[in-house]
Amino acid sequence: MTHSSIHQKAEQVLVQTYPRPDIVFDHGTGSTLYDEAGKAYLDFGAGIAVNALGHSDSGWVEYVSSQAGKLAHVSNLFHTRPQIELAEKLVNSCFADRLFFVNSGSEANETAIKFARKWARENYSGEKTGLAACTHSFHGRTCGALSLTAKEKYRAPFEPLVPGVHFLEYNNIASIEQNINDNTCAVFVEPVQGEGGVYPADPAFLQALRKACDEHNALLVVDEVQCGLGRTGSLWAHQLYDIVPDMMTIAKPLAGGLPVGAALASEKVAGVIVPGDHGNTFAGGPLTCAAGLYTLERIADPDFLAAVTHKSKLLLDGLKKLSSAAIVETRGKGLLIGVELSFPVKPVLDLALENGLIVLSAGENVLRICPPLTITEEEISSGLSILEKTLKTITA
Ligand code: PLP
């Protein structure tokens, strides 16, 4: 099949949910992707914050290949060693006592909704089913997760969604009390919002949310699908905020590019879930968990995390020095950075791509930069040069 026929065929055979550029990627190494014609693209998107170790990391390839040659799937009817080892490492890395494996961020949030509902039913009245999330939130596209996602455009075609969801204003402490009451069973929050525009939470806001959850006996669920696992320079983003959640949902980078996620919970929540309450055929298989073990071990290394913080500073400083009147604000934490422009970013994304740089959007006017956590200082500086050149052309 020729290059142009791939693009045409894609339009015929795929349900059209993503407008894709006319590029066919073939392979990648480190922070660089190559298309079929051999053109190189510096990757400031990491497959939407997934490829934390970059592409084709040699240690990861060796580990995953070895597990693939041994055992890939047995279902959750049986034990495998990689699953239990990864679960133990994850629960030991944070507040959680137990976890349930899933395959994606949306599934992790679906799981957390079910666990919260069951916890509330077992401990309080059947009326305690309310959920809360925040403005600009993104928790996924499946029906439960979508119910917690703020953007009207994503929700409207699929309503009615799960009822009883209140949206409180992100970073507005006053809005917490207006949207949480004794019938709330769980509040979902991203410590750093990704899709909604890259907004880091104020510490006082997350701490007030924790306090309100305690006062109303509601569970605090942190969604770290995008900001977790080293992305902020801390292993878990909420650990920067001096709060202890009741549940945490994770996915994207956990297996370095293979689909695995988890809903982690403290014992008070996990203890109410019994056989038959929830299930999943693929999740937590030995192949994805082996990939997770390797990825987690690399990222959890304090030197690795310190390097993320160092590179974040380089990137933020570099962005602040970019001489472009188009930039309204630069914000973010670690290597999850938003650059708000004074106009829609789509033409910038397209031209950057032509110039050999993959950069993402987070809403209409915000460029999102979330490279592999292994990106080098030289790659940061060449990405910044391409971005500067691109903005210059667009604003000329
Ligand atoms: N939660 C957050 C914070 C996300 O950023 C995303 C995806 O971007 C999701 C949940 C949904 O994850 P997935 O696309 O793997 O279902």
Side-chain angles (χ1 to χ4, degrees):
M1 215 183 288
T2 64
H3 169 90
S4 59
S5 62
I6 290 237
H7 190 63
Q8 268 167 11
K9 264 279 178 286
E11 292 190 348
Q12 282 166 22
V13 299
L14 297 180
V15 175
Q16 292 296 292
T17 52
Y18 287 94
R20 296 181 171 111
D22 190 7
I23 293 173
V24 182
F25 282 121
D26 182 68
H27 64 283
T29 48
S31 299
T32 306
L33 278 170
Y34 297 87
D35 69 15
E36 286 188 338
K39 178 173 167 179
Y41 300 79
L42 185 54
D43 187 2
F44 266 21
I48 323 186
V50 167
N51 302 100
L53 303 179
H55 303 278
S56 318
D57 175 88
S58 58
W60 182 91
V61 170
E62 205 178 300
Y63 210 82
V64 172
S65 310
S66 144
Q67 183 63 43
K70 209 168 143 194
L71 188 67
H73 174 82
V74 293
S75 89
N76 279 304
L77 299 177
F78 304 101
H79 290 307
T80 63
R81 187 170 291 276
Q83 182 185 84
I84 305 311
E85 286 180 1
L86 179 59
E88 185 181 30
K89 286 209 158 79
L90 285 168
V91 297
N92 286 344
S93 74
C94 65
F95 67 93
D97 298 301
R98 296 171 192 268
L99 65 74
F100 181 88
F101 280 117
V102 294
N103 306 290
S104 68
S106 298
E107 278 184 32
N109 287 320
E110 293 292 332
T111 303
I113 294 170
K114 282 182 72 178
F115 285 11
R117 285 272 178 89
K118 177 95 193 281
W119 169 82
R121 192 160 304 236
E122 293 278 304
N123 289 286
Y124 303 94
S125 78
E127 315 243 291
K128 196 173 173 67
T129 57
L131 298 163
C134 294
T135 53
H136 304 294
S137 63
F138 187 90
H139 296 290
R141 306 287 204 138
T142 54
C143 281
L146 183 58
S147 307
L148 302 168
T149 293
K151 201 168 181 171
E152 198 49 33
K153 187 177 144 202
Y154 295 161
R155 303 166 56 87
F158 308 103
E159 285 175 339
L161 298 171
V162 174
V165 181
H166 290 259
F167 285 94
L168 52 98
E169 199 182 325
Y170 196 66
N171 279 340
N172 179 351
I173 292 176
S175 138
I176 295 176
E177 271 307 315
Q178 292 153 16
N179 290 288
I180 299 181
N181 57 42
D182 289 345
N183 284 341
T184 308
C185 71
V187 181
F188 285 71
V189 66
E190 295 156 82
V192 181
Q193 290 188 324
E195 303 291 315
V198 190
Y199 293 103
D202 294 337
F205 174 71
L206 282 194
Q207 285 154 14
L209 212 45
R210 175 68 274 178
K211 191 157 165 273
C213 285
D214 290 340
E215 282 162 10
H216 294 290
N217 296 313
L219 300 174
L220 180 62
V221 186
V222 289
D223 178 338
E224 299 216 11
V225 167
Q226 183 153 169
C227 65
L229 206 66
R231 176 75 34 204
T232 63
S234 166
L235 185 60
W236 304 115
H238 71 269
Q239 291 168 337
L240 292 168
Y241 287 90
D242 204 19
I243 54 156
V244 181
D246 302 296
M247 273 192 272
M248 172 167 72
T249 55
I250 62 174
K252 286 183 184 287
L254 180 53
L258 295 182
V260 71
L264 295 102
S266 60
E267 188 59 31
K268 77 171 179 184
V269 182
V272 304
I273 305 300
V274 296
D277 277 342
H278 201 40
N280 198 310
T281 300
F282 283 114
L287 181 62
T288 53
C289 285
L293 274 169
Y294 181 80
T295 309
L296 177 63
E297 184 166 333
R298 285 273 300 277
I299 295 177
D301 178 343
D303 291 341
F304 186 100
L305 292 169
V308 171
T309 304
H310 172 68
K311 288 182 279 193
S312 167
K313 193 170 171 327
L314 285 182
L315 194 43
L316 282 165
D317 287 350
L319 284 165
K320 280 177 189 147
K321 278 192 211 127
L322 283 197
S323 56
S324 175
I327 298 178
V328 176
E329 188 184 35
T330 299
R331 54 182 180 253
K333 270 206 193 300
L335 290 174
L336 179 52
I337 293 172
V339 182
E340 186 167 336
L341 302 185
S342 53
F343 49 79
V345 296
K346 176 76 172 68
V348 181
L349 304 187
D350 293 346
L351 186 60
L353 202 57
E354 241 181 272
N355 291 338
L357 177 70
I358 297 169
V359 60
L360 310 179
S361 63
E364 277 279 290
N365 285 14
V366 181
L367 291 173
R368 178 174 23 163
I369 297 174
C370 51
L373 304 180
T374 49
I375 193 159
T376 64
E377 296 187 14
E378 296 71 41
E379 287 165 336
I380 288 176
S381 108
S382 68
L384 284 169
S385 305
I386 300 176
L387 190 58
E388 185 164 39
K389 174 176 133 190
T390 304
L391 286 172
K392 225 176 237 163
T393 312
I394 297 265
T395 51

